[in-house]
Amino acid sequence: MTMETETSTAGWQLNTHRRWLAESVELLSSMRFAISLLTLISIASVIGTVLKQGEPMSNYVNQFGPFWFELFGKLGLYSVYSAWWFLVIMGFLVISTSLCLIRNTPKMLRDMRSWRDNVREQSLRNFPHRTEWQADCERDVLVAQTVARIGHHGYRAKVIEKDGGTLIAARKGTANKWGYIFAHASIVIICVGGLLDSDLPIRFQKMVFDKSSFAGNGLIAEIPAEHRLGVGNPSFRGNTMIPEGGASSTAIIPQADGVLIQDLPFSIQLSKFIIEYYSTGMPKLFVSEVTVTDHENGHSFPATIKVNEPLIYRGMAVYQSSFEDGGSRLQLRGYPMRGSANKPFELTGEVGGATELDKTYGDHYSIEWSGFRPFNVENMMQDGQDVRAVNPNQGFNQRFTASLDRHLGSAAKMADVREFKNVGPSVQYKLRDRNGQAREYHNYMQPVEVDGAYVFLAGMRESPSEPFRFLRIPADDNDSVDEWMRLRNAILTPSMREKAAAAYARRALPDARAAAGGLRDQLQASALRGLTIFAGDDNSAGYVAVSQFLERIPPQEQEKAADIFMKILNGSLWDLWQLARQQDGLAPMVAEERHGRFLQLAANAYSDAFFYGSPVYLQLQGFEEVKASVFQITRSPGKNIVYLGCLLLTLGVFSMFYIRERRMWVWIKSDTSQSSHAIMAMSTQRQTLDFEKEFGSLQDKLTQPSSR
């Protein structure tokens, strides 16, 4: 009794296990499970398309903030296609599709070989597409005639004698089943190829061989072995940047927590980099002329790498990805932008390097040279932004704002009309303070015509996610910033402001009676006060300080007061400029329109400079350009497998949509020795107009009288 109970329990457990396994296989191979996986893959693909993949982590922090950056990072959204959950979904899709193939392919193959000859005469009468006719010939003659006629329509036929009659079973388009097999097999093949080209081999090496990402700085040749991948790595995708005349035998593989160094079995030396541009400034062609040297046998050969024309060698593809600056050497002149110092200084830099700024001009600043462009084709008639971070409409009358705005400097405040011009070389750099905070600057070497006047554009932004906002420094008669710097220094010097106020009062009221009556002293005091307000302090300067001063005036008097204030300010600034030139031993400026325009732009630039945020203005004086080419180097063993899968997918889709399976049965019985009776029926998987037409054609053909 006990043994029977144990046997029964074991059998029940075995049956339960088999039932659970069968149900699991049924679920995994079901259509609804596959569709669910494809839906998840589609959602992941949308995320990977909308969210830029493989960007530096700092970019994501700036874009999303610390909280969402951490959350998205844990979900693996910055590298969706190599995230563990995406690979799991792909793995389940392979399993699901494979099980579906294993379960259904034998059935489909059997069905393709089957003639379905187990039909009966009566069952043919139940088909919706059928016909019957009498033939004045013997049964054998009608059978041969029918086989020939349906064969003429592309049907293969089999003749079977059964139940006192003859059954002709015919089929056409059974290759339609191959469409389902190819389509499902292609999904498996493409997924396998994709998994082979994923970072699974790198993850395997990290887990098994203790490879780890490198997050520090240093020479590539000195990076330890635990951060390097051998030449036998089966799959990778990395980048290398090579300056002209330089060489590289490694590729950099970005990782979430650093980089891995991929050693190559050959070295690439960049002999020459060639680039051509469209008139809009977009690159039209960039080509790298390289020399490849094999490490194993020392063989060297020249090669040319173009966009979409990679170099294929040793199972690796070297693509022309992009181009960068390879360390151009720069000569610049610096102008102090804090205090009343006006003595320029010279400095040099190299793109990719850093230069310490003299402490005379700031409290421990370093300049990180991030970019150089030998020419820039810009749309000089496009809406831009000012460097000022204020709302001029805030705090005072809008009519006064409109009047004052005519005096405010605005970088590229223009109509939205496209006008592309080459505005010459530019330099881009970051100015980092002792606390690690940095602002980015983009300064053009040559003056640019904006709103009918030539100005030096000095761009600034506080984070990479922001566009550059430009300070416009007017060019003087010698196409330099010297006059603006001279005027700026004078504005910030109290003694010069006092002299300028006195000179303006004498020029505006030359009559001795005005001096005796105290009017000249009053005007001098007003001019000095206006210059002092405009010069500003640590809190505000320029037109912002003027607007704050005018806010204290009753609203009904603001417009009149602003008009008087600006007239006195503009007049005293002119005298201040002349005194500054006289102090430097230069002749006074001729009072003409172009000099008046310069003075207006200079005042605008002084006002905007309060928001420039740099202790110095750096102007590019000369350069020695060094180009660099960026190559993407890949080893993709799954590429040909994916190509095969795509071919099968194409054949499968074509077969499913353009090949229709049709079945036909003709039952022929003898009525007399000289006549026969026939029943014909047809079926198809999809009822279409073409099938109706084909049925009608066969019906007419088969029921025609036999020819003797």
Side-chain angles (χ1 to χ4, degrees), residues 325 328 330 351 370-374 425-428 620 623-626:
D325 191 285
S328 296
L330 311 173
V351 175
S370 55
F372 164 76
R373 295 185 65 178
S426 67
V427 61
Q428 193 165 322
L620 185 63
F623 57 87
E624 181 182 347
E625 184 184 11
V626 179

Side-chain angles (χ1 to χ4, degrees), residues 12-28:
W12 177 82
Q13 291 177 344
L14 181 60
N15 291 335
T16 301
H17 177 72
R18 289 176 176 175
R19 185 168 61 253
W20 176 86
L21 181 61
E23 290 176 352
S24 299
V25 172
E26 178 70 27
L27 173 63
L28 290 175

Side-chain angles (χ1 to χ4, degrees), residues 353-419:
T355 302
E356 293 294 326
L357 187 63
D358 194 309
K359 291 185 178 181
T360 305
Y361 307 103
D363 186 13
H364 191 71
Y365 282 95
S366 64
I367 307 169
E368 300 171 3
W369 309 103
S370 55
F372 164 76
R373 295 185 65 178
F375 74 93
N376 297 266
V377 177
E378 304 287 357
N379 177 17
M380 299 312 298
M381 295 298 289
Q382 189 178 28
D383 287 342
Q385 297 185 39
D386 193 2
V387 296
R388 290 164 298 135
V390 301
N391 179 1
N393 290 326
Q394 182 177 358
F396 53 95
N397 187 273
Q398 290 189 0
R399 293 183 62 190
F400 166 68
T401 302
S403 173
L404 186 61
D405 190 59
R406 292 194 299 268
H407 305 282
L408 296 179
S410 175
K413 188 182 292 182
M414 312 164 217
D416 189 13
V417 180
R418 296 190 177 276
E419 183 178 332

Side-chain angles (χ1 to χ4, degrees), residues 465-626:
S465 61
E466 298 177 354
F468 280 104
R469 298 172 291 165
F470 289 92
L471 169 67
R472 299 196 296 187
I473 301 176
D476 55 27
D477 293 347
N478 297 321
D479 288 332
S480 72
V481 299
D482 293 341
E483 289 296 331
W484 184 79
M485 291 294 176
R486 181 178 290 113
L487 178 60
R488 175 194 164 277
N489 176 61
I491 292 174
L492 293 172
T493 304
S495 60
M496 293 294 292
R497 294 198 298 263
E498 292 177 1
K499 293 178 181 179
Y504 170 71
R506 287 194 301 271
R507 182 169 59 86
L509 296 174
D511 194 344
R513 289 179 297 176
L519 292 178
R520 185 183 294 173
D521 293 339
Q522 294 178 17
L523 181 59
Q524 178 178 340
S526 297
L528 179 58
R529 186 177 186 186
L531 287 173
T532 303
I533 292 172
F534 188 75
D537 51 27
D538 293 339
N539 297 319
S540 63
Y543 293 116
V544 175
V546 173
S547 67
Q548 293 174 351
F549 167 74
L550 293 173
E551 281 182 336
R552 298 194 291 268
I553 298 175
Q556 64 273 16
E557 299 178 9
Q558 282 184 1
E559 184 174 358
K560 181 179 179 181
D563 187 56
I564 296 173
F565 188 98
M566 295 305 300
K567 287 180 180 179
I568 296 175
L569 178 62
N570 289 335
S572 55
L573 284 174
W574 173 267
D575 287 286
L576 181 63
W577 184 21
Q578 306 314 309
L579 287 171
R581 288 180 57 84
Q582 180 181 352
Q583 180 175 276
D584 291 343
L586 301 174
M589 280 292 182
V590 179
E592 56 187 21
E593 182 179 356
R594 63 190 179 99
H595 292 149
R597 174 66 169 162
F598 172 86
L599 184 62
Q600 179 186 357
L601 295 175
N604 298 344
Y606 177 86
S607 180
D608 290 343
F610 181 78
F611 303 96
Y612 188 56
S614 173
V616 294
Y617 165 70
L618 301 181
Q619 186 181 30
L620 185 63
Q621 298 292 310
F623 57 87
E624 181 182 347
E625 184 184 11
V626 179

